[in-house]
Amino acid sequence: MLFRSEEEDLDDPFTIKVMELRQYRVEHGDCKVPAKYPRNPKLGKWVSNQKQAYKFFRTGIKKGTNTINQKQIDKLNEIGFFWVRQTKRNCFCVV
């Protein structure tokens, strides 16, 4: 079951992933989806892409199709999105 509000557009790919992320948060208690999340590999990749897009957004770099806007950032912030990625050495890096 995906959690959504009535005004969300089910035809919008971003909205669908946000709903999947909400479900992940219910099950795991956070939004720290691993990049290679075996149960939903596409969600893991999407979360990784959002972090990269946010980095480009903050620095003003336009690169490829991986973009994010302020409204999308706000929506992710509302559900507790974790913008910091964990590196392989267990230290945290701000993206």
Side-chain angles (χ1 to χ4, degrees):
M1 177 178 152
L2 295 177
F3 294 91
R4 73 179 187 94
S5 62
E6 292 299 318
E7 67 274 359
E8 290 179 317
D9 179 8
L10 293 178
D11 293 327
D12 175 37
F14 182 85
T15 299
I16 292 167
K17 288 298 180 203
V18 168
M19 290 184 328
E20 291 176 18
L21 185 57
R22 283 186 191 133
Q23 180 63 39
Y24 178 92
R25 184 173 185 224
V26 166
E27 294 172 11
H28 299 275
D30 59 47
C31 293
K32 299 176 190 175
V33 183
K36 294 183 179 181
Y37 179 48
R39 211 165 127 203
N40 187 344
K42 289 182 180 181
L43 179 62
K45 180 70 174 162
W46 181 82
V47 165
S48 180
N49 286 343
Q50 299 317 296
K51 291 177 183 184
Q52 184 180 40
Y54 179 69
K55 178 181 177 182
F56 295 148
F57 178 84
R58 285 183 46 219
T59 60
I61 296 171
K62 299 209 185 234
K63 188 172 182 179
T65 59
N66 192 11
T67 60
I68 194 168
N69 61 48
Q70 189 61 54
K71 185 176 177 181
Q72 292 169 327
I73 291 167
D74 293 343
K75 182 155 297 267
L76 290 170
N77 283 336
E78 286 173 11
I79 62 171
F81 192 80
F82 200 69
W83 295 104
V84 178
R85 67 178 173 85
Q86 187 173 3
T87 65
K88 291 182 180 180
R89 294 186 176 189
N90 292 326
C91 65
F92 292 93
C93 300
V94 176
V95 291

